[in-house]
Amino acid sequence: MIAVQSLANLSAKKVTTSLLLFCFCVLCFVWPIENSNLPANRNLFIYLSLAMTLFLYFKKQGMPLAHNATSRMPIYILAGLLAFTLLNGLFVAPDLKQMFRSWQGQYLRAGLLFFIGLLIYSFSASCFRGLSKTRFLSLVVLCSLGVIFIHVIQTAFMYLRNGYIDWGVTWIVRTRTEMSFQINFICGILFAELLSRLFLHRKFLIFKTSLLLFFIAICFVATALVNTRWGTIGLIGSTISICIFIAAKMLSRDNRKKMLLTGAAVALMVAAVGYTSWTQDPRWQSLSQDAVSGWNLSVDNRCYDGFKGPTLQDSTGRVLDESNACRSTFFHQGWKLVFENPFGTGPRKDAFLVLLQKAYHDPTIEQENSHYGVIDFALQNGFIGLVGWLCFVISLIVVGWNAFSKKLIMPGLFLSLMAVSFLFRSSVDNMLRDHFLEQFMAFTGLMIGLIVTKDKNSVPGSAS
């Protein structure tokens, strides 16, 4: 009877863990894809993953987690930040029902995905003895590459059919922002892996170096095809950050020649991607003039009314590029509203719109966000909330660098790079929302989980 009960428990554990692993891999593939293009809403996989994680956690399954004071810090800060954003919203939000719905959908779900990422390898390693950290992360990376491959294949197909390349056009995802985010996110891991093999002689992912180079080349090609300014800058910045991290760890006379050659190769790739963006995106040419003119625009123009008004022009009658000019005025108005509302207006995606209408009493304003994630976060949660978020991201960088610099733990390098890249991208794009935030939180939680989960020879125990 005891043997039958033990077998049943083992079977339930294996089924639950398999379902959790399946849902997470599906999420890695579908996160940037719009729900209308999927057979099922991705929230289905998120909440299934949450249910499986809670089941396994309370059943005390999983490999032990070897936390220290540093690795626990992001967890404490995140818990405090979630509590603060809710409590602050209760005091400042004009509509409590709307605020709570937004808090649950925006922040709580992203926070829960962090904890799913933190625990998923612990559960999977305990159930599947052959699933090492390297195999697990390689599986996650491969699933995440799927959307990028499909985009390149779709572009090639359209080129063969139409005879020209649709620069900046996406099909499988809604906008270029979604695609560039996915590219930067995964290419950072791949490039960090490549440089660690060259200079540190450390191999983490299971892919052969030739296959790794192919994946990186696909990411750079996809970046050129998507042709987003901040996405391109983000990829370049991420590449430079990786080089700095690696150089800080392994700068010696013995590998100086190799570093110079690699640096030259990186510079050529960066120059090629940058030149492609510069020549294919005309917005670069007038950026400075448009930004200066857009800075002092009032709110009674097409940037704010859903682009229904007359064409934007400067004092000389020159037509302004709307992207450049509108981003400039959004930045100006956004920070102005932050200082006028130091405690924010509570969690809601349209906080920019709410505060604009409140400040100018103009119901024709339709612009819901400022296009800057950091500004929108501050508009919702005030200066204290913004400081809390920055502390959380910095704590991730510290955890990652601490693990990498002291013990050469590769997920530590990946974690630091993700945090630096996301901090930059959310400062110039509206990333602190929806699947962008969800994916960031899940992946950073996963990296911490890979850092702190004990090796397979440890005795299985509680994952708490």
Side-chain angles (χ1 to χ4, degrees), residues 312-341:
L312 296 175
Q313 297 180 347
D314 63 12
S315 57
T316 65
R318 184 181 64 88
V319 176
L320 303 178
D321 179 88
E322 291 180 357
S323 176
N324 294 334
C326 290
R327 273 187 166 273
S328 179
T329 184
F330 292 159
F331 184 88
H332 185 194
Q333 291 291 340
W335 280 116
K336 180 181 176 183
L337 291 171
V338 170
F339 281 95
E340 291 175 355
N341 301 271

Side-chain angles (χ1 to χ4, degrees), residues 234-457:
L235 182 60
I236 292 172
S238 178
T239 302
I240 294 172
S241 299
I242 294 166
C243 294
I244 292 173
F245 277 122
I246 296 292
K249 179 60 186 173
M250 207 67 182
L251 184 61
S252 67
R253 190 171 295 177
D254 295 335
N255 59 21
R256 188 172 294 170
K257 183 177 179 181
K258 189 188 293 184
M259 290 188 72
L260 287 173
L261 291 173
T262 304
V266 169
L268 285 174
M269 286 192 296
V270 165
V273 173
Y275 178 76
T276 302
S277 177
W278 178 269
T279 54
Q280 294 298 325
D281 193 336
R283 294 176 298 178
W284 287 116
Q285 317 303 324
S286 60
L287 175 61
S288 178
Q289 292 174 293
D290 295 335
V292 171
S293 299
W295 182 265
N296 294 314
L297 285 176
S298 60
V299 296
D300 57 344
N301 61 71
R302 62 187 284 107
C303 292
Y304 296 92
D305 66 3
F307 298 94
K308 301 171 185 174
T311 303
L312 296 175
Q313 297 180 347
D314 63 12
S315 57
T316 65
R318 184 181 64 88
V319 176
L320 303 178
D321 179 88
E322 291 180 357
S323 176
N324 294 334
C326 290
R327 273 187 166 273
S328 179
T329 184
F330 292 159
F331 184 88
H332 185 194
Q333 291 291 340
W335 280 116
K336 180 181 176 183
L337 291 171
V338 170
F339 281 95
E340 291 175 355
N341 301 271
F343 295 101
T345 190
R348 54 187 301 163
K349 294 180 184 178
D350 60 349
F352 187 59
L353 171 63
V354 171
L355 292 175
L356 278 175
Q357 290 184 341
K358 177 183 175 183
Y360 293 100
H361 308 287
D362 185 354
T364 64
I365 297 175
E366 297 182 13
Q367 182 61 33
E368 292 191 353
N369 63 78
S370 68
H371 283 275
Y372 297 92
V374 169
I375 292 178
D376 282 343
F377 192 89
L379 289 174
Q380 296 178 56
N381 306 297
F383 282 113
I384 297 176
L386 180 59
V387 170
W389 170 254
L390 294 177
C391 288
F392 172 70
V393 177
I394 292 170
S395 71
L396 294 177
I397 298 172
V398 171
V399 170
W401 179 247
N402 186 60
F404 175 66
S405 62
K406 291 182 178 179
K407 299 180 181 178
L408 272 181
I409 298 175
M410 286 302 297
L413 175 61
F414 301 150
L415 174 61
S416 293
L417 291 170
M418 283 181 182
V420 170
S421 177
F422 191 78
L423 182 60
F424 164 77
R425 194 69 191 274
S426 60
S427 299
V428 296
D429 261 330
N430 190 21
M431 293 290 173
L432 282 169
R433 61 180 177 88
D434 303 334
H435 69 86
F436 304 112
L437 184 59
E438 292 172 2
Q439 193 170 0
F440 172 73
M441 296 298 285
F443 271 65
T444 51
L446 171 61
M447 295 305 163
I448 294 179
L450 292 175
I451 292 170
V452 303
T453 302
K454 290 185 176 180
D455 294 329
K456 293 295 189 71
N457 55 7

Side-chain angles (χ1 to χ4, degrees), residues 115-135:
F115 290 103
I116 291 172
L118 180 67
L119 298 171
I120 187 171
Y121 177 71
S122 170
F123 298 146
S124 301
S126 176
C127 186
F128 305 107
R129 295 295 178 177
L131 188 61
S132 64
K133 293 180 181 181
T134 59
R135 290 179 177 177

Side-chain angles (χ1 to χ4, degrees), residues 15-43:
V15 169
T16 305
T17 307
S18 299
L19 183 57
L20 172 60
L21 187 57
F22 170 76
C23 288
F24 195 82
C25 288
V26 170
L27 282 171
C28 291
F29 178 76
V30 305
W31 246 315
I33 304 175
E34 195 172 11
N35 279 321
S36 60
N37 294 332
L38 297 172
N41 191 301
R42 62 173 170 262
N43 290 343

Side-chain angles (χ1 to χ4, degrees), residues 165-208:
I165 296 177
D166 288 314
W167 298 99
V169 177
T170 58
W171 294 277
I172 191 172
V173 298
R174 187 170 62 88
T175 67
R176 298 181 296 171
T177 302
E178 276 85 354
M179 184 59 69
S180 68
F181 177 80
Q182 185 79 358
I183 295 167
N184 292 8
F185 213 67
I186 301 306
C187 191
I189 297 177
L190 296 173
F191 206 73
E193 171 74 13
L194 176 64
L195 292 186
S196 71
R197 293 184 186 186
L198 286 173
F199 298 113
L200 307 178
H201 307 291
R202 302 280 294 187
K203 179 181 178 182
F204 191 81
L205 301 178
I206 64 173
F207 312 122
K208 292 182 178 179

